[in-house]
Structures are given as structure tokens and as C-alpha cells.
Amino acid sequence: DVVYVTGKPVGFNTYYVKTVGDTRVCYIAGISVMPSARGKGVSRSLIHLAIVHCRAEYIAGRTQNPIIYKLLRSFNRRC
């Protein structure tokens, strides 16, 4: 997915779906956001789009970024 602001791309993500038993899990492989767009909800939008497109019940991913880690955890409470 790509997020655009005023016609310019400001962020993108890559993801795939895994099925564990009967549960669909969306695995975020990467998120990238332009520095000028950080702190404006772009990552949250990208995670939401991935969940919708995957029709997932849970989301997973590996990150060393504490902000993305907190976002991923917050979505698993809402999926």
C-alpha cells in the first residue's frame, strides 16, 4: 500500500498473510514513512490498510522501532 498526501507518496508498507489454524494473521514485513510525514498517522493508516486488505484477525511483525511496536500491539487489541 502507498499513502499519498497532496498527490505525493509519503509512506508505504509491505505485508503478507499467514493462516494459523483458522486464524488469518497479517505479517507486516516493512513500513517506511517520509520524515516530513512522521507523527501524522501515516503508519497507523498503513497498518489499518494492511489489516483490511488481508482480512486479518491479528497483525504481526518484527521491528526495532518502539513506535511501530506500540502501534502493532494496539491494533491487536482492536482487530
Side-chain angles (χ1 to χ4, degrees), residues 53-70:
H53 291 160
C54 292
R55 292 172 280 138
E57 298 172 55
Y58 294 97
I59 191 153
R62 286 186 172 175
T63 182
Q64 294 180 345
N65 182 326
I67 295 167
I68 297 299
Y69 177 78
K70 287 171 96 174

Side-chain angles (χ1 to χ4, degrees), residues 47-56:
I47 293 169
H48 176 75
L49 287 169
I51 291 168
V52 170
H53 291 160
C54 292
R55 292 172 280 138

